[in-house]
Amino acid sequence: MIERIIIIDSVDPVSFYGVNNCNMQLIRNLFPKLRMAARGQVIKVIGDEEETAQFEKRIKELEDYCSRYNKLPEDVILDIVKGHSPKEMKRDDVIIYGINGKPIAARNPNQQKLVDAFIHNDLTFALGPAGTGKTYIAIALAVRALKNREVRKIILSRPAVEAGEKLGFLPGDMKDKIDPYLQPLYDALEDMIPAVKLKEYMDNNVIQIAPLAFMRGRTLNDAVIVLDEAQNTTTHQIKMFLTRLGMNAKMIITGDVTQIDLPRSVRSGLVQALHVLNGVEGIGMVEFGKKDIVRHHLVQRIVEAYQHYDDEMKSQRDTLEQPELSD
C-alpha cells in the first residue's frame, strides 16, 4: 500500500469537485479499491501502487479538461476514467471557455480582426464606440494566453478620470475610491475565470488590476497588458504606458475617441498616439463601428442618435464661424 499526493493547481476546486462534492463522489465510486481524501487543491489517495498510478493519471486528465472548459460533466468523468476520449467541444472561433463552459468567441468580423491582430502584433489598438466588445475580447485574449502558459501574468489598467461626477469624497481608502473605475474589468474576468481561481490569481498578483498612475516606473515582462478607456489618457500618460512594454509581452489599447472625459484644454493621449504611431511596424489597429455593437439593440440606436446630434451641432458651429462676405 502506498500514499500518493496529487496537486490540482490549474483549476478551481469547486468546479473540479462539483456541487456538494458530487464529482469526487463519482470518482470514489469508480475507484472502489482506493481510499481518498480531497481538500482544496490536494487529493490524497492510498492503495495499490499500480492502481494509484492509474488514478493519478486519470485525475490529471480530468484536471486538463476542467481547466480548458471550466466545467467537468458526469459523462466526461465516466469517459476519462474508463480510458475513452471525451467529446470535444471544438469550435475554431472559440477564444476561451468561460464560466460553466460558456464559449467566448468573436461575434462579428471586427472582433475577429482584433483576435488576428493580437496574434500577429505585440501592440494592438482597438478603437470604437461603447458596446462593441473591444475590452471583453481583449481580456479574453489575455486570459487565453495565461491559461496556455504563454505569459505569467495579466495586467489590466484604466485612467481614473471622472465622467462628470465627483467621486473624490466617497468614504473608504484608496482602493475603495478607485475600484468603481475598474469594475468593468472585474466584470469581464468574472465571466471567464471561476471565483475561487480568480481570487487566487489576484492574491498572488498573477492578475493585476490597477489605475494607470500605478504603472509608472514598471517594466512589464511575460505579460498581456490591457489599457482600457485610453481616450482619457493625457499625452504624457500614454507615452509612459506604451514604454512599459517588456520582453515576451503583448499590449492591447482600447478606447473611443468620441467619449473623451478630459478637460477641454487637455489633449487626448490616444488621439496623439494614433497619429504618432501610424505606420509603425509591429503595431496593429482595429476600428469598430456602430454596426459592431453587441449589447442591447437600443444601444446601437442611441449611439447613432448621438452621432447624428453631434454632426448637426458641428455643422451649426461651422456655419456660425464662417466669415461674412463684405459688399
Side-chain angles (χ1 to χ4, degrees):
M1 301 284 282
I2 68 162
E3 178 182 281
R4 289 182 187 268
I5 296 176
I6 305 163
I7 309 294
I8 52 166
D9 57 359
S10 66
V11 294
D12 172 19
V14 176
S15 301
F16 187 85
Y17 298 138
V19 178
N20 296 322
N21 284 330
C22 61
N23 290 347
M24 202 62 207
Q25 188 56 52
L26 175 59
I27 293 168
R28 282 194 179 94
N29 293 338
L30 293 169
F31 289 92
K33 296 180 182 178
L34 301 178
R35 289 162 46 206
M36 61 191 75
R39 183 180 294 274
Q41 296 179 330
V42 178
I43 300 174
K44 292 183 180 179
V45 60
I46 299 173
D48 174 76
E49 182 173 1
E50 186 177 338
E51 191 149 354
T52 56
Q54 181 72 1
F55 175 83
E56 181 173 13
K57 179 184 177 185
R58 298 307 183 204
I59 288 293
K60 285 299 176 183
E61 290 172 358
L62 291 170
E63 181 186 7
D64 288 344
Y65 187 96
C66 188
S67 175
R68 182 176 180 188
Y69 297 113
N70 272 329
K71 66 177 184 177
L72 194 56
E74 181 179 316
D75 59 331
V76 169
I77 295 172
L78 291 169
D79 283 341
I80 288 177
V81 169
K82 291 176 181 178
H84 304 148
S85 295
K87 183 180 179 182
E88 293 281 329
M89 297 189 291
K90 206 162 188 180
R91 277 177 47 182
D92 291 338
D93 60 341
V94 171
I95 301 170
I96 55 167
Y97 290 88
I99 300 303
N100 298 322
K102 169 191 169 186
I104 295 173
R107 294 174 61 182
N108 56 50
N110 277 330
Q111 286 189 0
Q112 186 58 49
K113 284 181 183 177
L114 177 54
V115 174
D116 297 337
F118 176 79
I119 293 169
H120 295 110
N121 299 282
D122 289 338
L123 171 59
T124 303
F125 287 93
L127 314 168
T132 51
K134 309 179 299 293
T135 303
Y136 197 78
I137 294 296
I139 293 176
L141 290 166
V143 172
R144 181 176 72 179
L146 182 67
K147 282 195 166 193
N148 292 346
R149 304 183 190 276
E150 296 165 14
V151 296
R152 292 191 294 109
K153 54 185 179 252
I154 294 172
I155 297 163
L156 309 177
S157 186
R158 265 186 162 200
V161 175
E162 294 156 343
E165 60 282 325
K166 298 293 182 185
L167 302 178
F169 295 101
L170 287 175
D173 58 17
M174 182 175 286
K175 184 178 186 300
D176 295 329
K177 292 176 187 290
I178 287 171
D179 271 356
Y181 294 108
L182 306 175
Q183 190 59 49
L185 307 180
Y186 290 106
D187 292 343
L189 286 170
E190 286 167 358
D191 260 7
M192 302 173 194
I193 303 173
V196 173
K197 195 66 184 174
L198 178 57
K199 184 177 186 305
E200 179 191 324
Y201 280 149
M202 298 191 72
D203 289 345
N204 295 327
N205 286 324
V206 173
I207 295 179
Q208 303 169 28
I209 303 179
L212 178 59
F214 288 22
M215 296 295 108
R216 187 171 296 279
R218 301 183 64 184
T219 300
L220 307 175
N221 297 315
D222 296 308
V224 176
I225 310 115
V226 178
L227 175 61
D228 191 33
E229 299 287 346
Q231 75 274 5
N232 289 328
T233 59
T234 66
T235 55
H236 294 297
Q237 284 176 328
I238 200 162
K239 181 181 177 184
M240 176 275 292
F241 187 83
L242 290 169
T243 53
R244 301 306 94 200
L245 190 65
M247 302 301 294
N248 189 40
K250 290 200 171 200
M251 189 177 279
I252 304 177
I253 311 287
T254 73
D256 177 5
V257 295
T258 68
Q259 290 193 2
I260 297 172
D261 299 314
L262 295 167
R264 287 191 177 183
S265 59
V266 179
R267 187 179 183 189
S268 167
L270 177 61
V271 173
Q272 184 196 57
L274 294 173
H275 174 71
V276 171
L277 300 176
N278 185 38
V280 174
E281 187 177 351
I283 298 178
M285 191 176 299
V286 180
E287 293 192 45
F288 292 80
K290 56 184 180 288
K291 291 183 178 179
D292 297 312
I293 291 172
V294 291
R295 290 183 186 164
H296 192 286
H297 60 84
L298 272 178
V299 174
Q300 182 173 336
R301 297 177 196 170
I302 290 167
V303 170
E304 289 174 342
Y306 270 95
Q307 186 174 329
H308 180 67
Y309 174 81
D310 289 342
D311 290 344
E312 280 191 346
M313 291 299 100
K314 184 177 183 299
S315 177
Q316 289 179 21
R317 284 196 302 270
D318 290 345
T319 301
L320 290 172
E321 289 171 3
Q322 286 180 358
E324 293 184 8
L325 297 174
S326 58
D327 293 335

